[in-house]
């Protein structure tokens, strides 16, 4: 008798089918789930909005992000400067638009790095078991014992602010999360019948692991990815706020807030608007992550 | 139990070694030469520079320097600050109280917000109470600490003038002034912590209220109020201990961002100062100290959790 398959998100049984789910199928399912949850849909809108802004930055910007105009410092929102100007007379809207490129690129790189290292590590650890598992988990525990933010600060300070350093400093702290979640999923999957079946057809072990088993662990990975994006944006802006990120005049969101500190009584918009943009972006990714998690498994990732 | 604690302590050894290794090598990637930092910006003569490098042991290979550092760590010597020439250990200990005060204040504030908010949200699930509590939690998660701090400084410091915008007063000198300076930073860190804990308490409470013992107690005629606040809440709090404990670890690890914004002289800010000053030994010492604190607090939390809930398996 064919085993009933269950959708990764809603847990509703779906009709067994001949072929394993494709990436597009999983993506469609995820989209359907997101749209059913209004907050998650809001998150999706925010994230799409920020992503499009980052992609189309040169077309959306109304000014040159580095063009200073000292005669026009700290003016409030107006028809020419939609969100006003900063302490050097630079257009805040334009700088925010370009800043989205830095934020999204750093987040993308950091999350990519974490997934590329963490997922195979967790998968192998869970699938092979034995000493590999012990070794990997010991390393992960040791790593988790280290406060992540402190590691990021020290790494960025030591290596200097480049995109690669930021990917590394932010991404590396997320690796343990992926490794643990994937390991747990693989452990729960590897005794299932479809694995046995694949083995009997003579498929190579690694192929079973990375194509069959991992495709059934996509849901928890997706949850983690969206929450991690939020985390990466938060850490990047914190680092640049502390003056450890890209040096001025880079239009990094955190740096914009740092520069606003001295002027915020005079011109509160310089401190309020960039913070609002950072918060909204973080909120967007969190809402998607929460939505996916609620539907997928309300208990698994609490805390 | 004793065995468990001992085993956990033994497990700390590799963690400590890895941490020290990581910290040492990352710090040595920092650009700039400590001997140069010590001699200052003005021109120095080459001979003096070489002598200083020898004295500091900087002419030796990196691994030798690491083992020397480790050996001195074993003797309780974290080295000397390059800038102030004072022992790192003294500097760190001198700065740590400020971090502890801020952590404790934030912890108390966070718990005072999170537990009632989470409980009410669960008991009145899907009512405006619940929505407000969840909105608060989302706010805390989405809003970065540094921006929230700026908003508080702007509103309560600059416009209303109710609180100082930065600074620190030693509680021994003037306790009222100390509290006054403590308020804004503690609100920032307390809210941050409360947002995570509120969600957890709510989820845990909802779970507990579904369990059989709640129904049994109600069927026996125990008033609902008593069941909720006595039975279910108590069990939820046991589970919440872990989350709160993790937050304590984070808070005691010092918040570089918040301490920097409010010019709060804690260890978190010390780390940043050491980075800016290229003060290797100070940076190494401070980071190692914070990492160890974090690890030990987490261990204590695990032990506490086990003590509160004996069903937890120790493996």
């Amino acid at each position: 008798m064919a085993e009933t398959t269950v959708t990764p998100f809603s847990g509703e049984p779906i009709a067994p089918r001949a072929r394993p789910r494709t990436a597009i199928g999983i993506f469609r399912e995820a989209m359907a789930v997101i749209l059913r949850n209004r907050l998650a849909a809001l998150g999706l809108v925010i994230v799409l909005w920020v992503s499009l802004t980052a992609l189309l930055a040169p077309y959306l910007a109304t000014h040159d992000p580095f063009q200073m105009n000292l005669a026009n410092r700290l003016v409030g929102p107006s028809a020419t400067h939609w969100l006003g100007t900063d302490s050097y007379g630079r257009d805040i809207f334009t700088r925010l638009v370009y800043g989205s490129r830095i934020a999204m690129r750093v987040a993308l790189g950091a999350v990519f790095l974490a997934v590329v290292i963490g997922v195979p590590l967790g998968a192998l650890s869970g699938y092979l078991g034995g000493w590999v598992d012990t070794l990997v988990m010991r390393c992960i525990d040791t790593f988790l014992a280290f406060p992540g933010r402190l590691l990021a600060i020290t790494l960025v300070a030591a290596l200097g602010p480049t995109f690669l350093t930021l990917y590394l400093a932010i991404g590396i702290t997320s690796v343990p999360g992926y490794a643990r979640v994937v390991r747990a999923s693989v452990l729960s999957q590897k005794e299932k019948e479809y694995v046995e079946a694949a083995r009997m057809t003579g498929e190579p072990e690694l192929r079973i692991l990375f194509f069959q088993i991992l495709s059934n662990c996509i849901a928890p990975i997706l949850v983690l990815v969206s929450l991690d994006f939020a985390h990466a944006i938060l850490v990047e802006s914190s680092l640049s706020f502390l003056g450890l990120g890209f040096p001025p005049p880079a239009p990094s969101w955190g740096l914009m807030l740092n520069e606003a500190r001295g002027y915020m009584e005079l011109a509160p918009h310089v401190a309020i608007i960039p913070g609002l943009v950072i918060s909204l972006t973080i909120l967007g990714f969190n809402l998607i992550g929460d939505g996916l998690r609620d539907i997928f498994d309300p208990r698994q990732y609490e805390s | 139990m004793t065995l468990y604690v001992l085993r956990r302590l033994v497990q700390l050894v590799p963690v400590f070694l890895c941490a020290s290794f990581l910290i040492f090598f990352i710090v040595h990637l920092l650009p700039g030469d400590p001997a140069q930092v010590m001699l200052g910006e003005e021109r120095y003569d080459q001979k003096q520079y070489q002598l200083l490098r020898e004295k500091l042991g900087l002419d030796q290979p990196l691994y030798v320097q690491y083992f020397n550092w480790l050996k001195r760590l074993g003797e309780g010597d974290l080295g000397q600050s390059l800038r102030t020439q004072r022992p790192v250990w003294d500097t760190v200990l001198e700065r740590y109280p400020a971090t502890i005060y801020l952590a404790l204040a934030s912890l108390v504030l966070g718990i005072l917000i999170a537990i009632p908010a989470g409980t009410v949200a669960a008991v009145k699930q899907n009512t405006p109470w619940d929505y407000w509590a969840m909105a608060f939690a989302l706010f805390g998660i989405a809003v970065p600490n540094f921006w929230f701090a700026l908003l508080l400084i702007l509103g309560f410091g600059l416009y209303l003038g109710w609180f100082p915008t930065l600074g620190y007063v030693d509680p021994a000198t003037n306790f009222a002034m100390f509290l006054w300076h403590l308020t804004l930073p503690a609100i920032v860190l307390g809210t941050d912590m409360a947002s995570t804990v509120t969600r957890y308490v709510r989820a845990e409470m909802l779970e507990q209220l579904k369990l059989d013992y709640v129904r049994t107690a109600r069927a026996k005629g125990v008033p609902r109020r008593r069941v909720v606040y006595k039975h279910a809440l108590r069990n939820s709090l046991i589970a919440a201990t872990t989350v709160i404990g993790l937050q304590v670890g984070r808070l005691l690890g010092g918040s570089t961002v918040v301490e920097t914004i409010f010019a709060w002289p804690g260890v978190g800010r010390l780390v940043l100062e050491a980075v800016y000053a290229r003060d290797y030994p100070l940076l190494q010492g401070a980071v190692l100290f914070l990492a160890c604190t974090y690890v030990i607090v987490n261990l204590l939390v695990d032990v506490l959790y086990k003590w509160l809930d004996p069903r937890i398996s120790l493996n």
Side-chain angles (χ1 to χ4, degrees), chain A residues 142 145 153 157-159 234 237-238 241-242 257 261 264-265 268 271-272 275-276 279 282 286-287 290 293 299, chain B residues 11 15 18 26 29-31 138 141-142 144 146-147 150 153-154 159 199 204 207 256 261 275-276 290 294-295:
Chain A
T142 309
I153 289 177
L159 298 170
L234 175 67
S237 56
S238 307
F241 180 80
L242 289 174
L257 276 178
R261 280 174 74 186
M264 59 183 185
E265 196 176 9
I272 291 173
L276 212 56
S279 305
I282 296 176
N286 267 313
L287 287 178
D290 285 352
R293 173 172 60 188
R299 291 280 310 165
Chain B
Q11 279 173 8
V15 171
C18 279
I26 292 175
L29 291 172
L30 275 166
L138 266 180
I141 289 166
F146 56 88
W147 188 50
L150 287 188
I153 290 176
L154 188 63
Y159 284 145
R199 293 179 124 199
E204 197 57 43
E207 201 67 19
T256 312
I261 294 179
V275 166
Y276 288 144
L290 290 180
Y294 184 77
V295 171

Side-chain angles (χ1 to χ4, degrees), chain A residues 43 46-47 50 103-104 106-108 110-111 149 170 173-174 178 222-238 253 277-290 293, chain B residues 138 140-146 199:
Chain A
I46 296 173
V47 165
V50 178
M104 292 298 279
V106 170
L108 209 61
V111 172
R149 201 65 64 85
I170 300 171
T173 53
S174 307
Y178 289 95
L222 273 184
V223 174
L224 214 51
V225 163
S226 54
L227 295 178
D228 240 15
F229 256 94
H231 174 74
I233 284 170
L234 175 67
V235 178
E236 190 274 328
S237 56
S238 307
W253 291 343
V277 171
I278 301 174
S279 305
L280 262 181
T281 311
I282 296 176
L283 180 72
F285 282 111
N286 267 313
L287 287 178
I288 296 183
D290 285 352
R293 173 172 60 188
Chain B
L138 266 180
I141 289 166
V143 172
N145 283 343
F146 56 88
R199 293 179 124 199

Side-chain angles (χ1 to χ4, degrees), chain B residues 117-169:
Chain B
T119 311
V120 168
V123 174
K124 301 188 187 289
Q125 197 192 1
N126 295 328
T127 64
W129 291 91
D130 185 18
Y131 299 146
W132 280 110
M134 286 302 98
F136 162 76
L138 266 180
F139 170 87
I141 289 166
V143 172
N145 283 343
F146 56 88
W147 188 50
F148 189 41
L150 287 188
L151 290 182
L152 290 180
I153 290 176
L154 188 63
F156 293 104
L158 297 174
Y159 284 145
L160 297 171
W162 291 355
F163 294 101
T165 54
L166 50 84
Y168 172 77
V169 174

Side-chain angles (χ1 to χ4, degrees), chain A residues 6-23:
Chain A
V6 165
T7 62
F9 298 109
S10 53
E12 291 156 12
I14 49 172
R17 40 187 145 170
R19 291 186 41 189
R21 280 194 310 277
T22 60

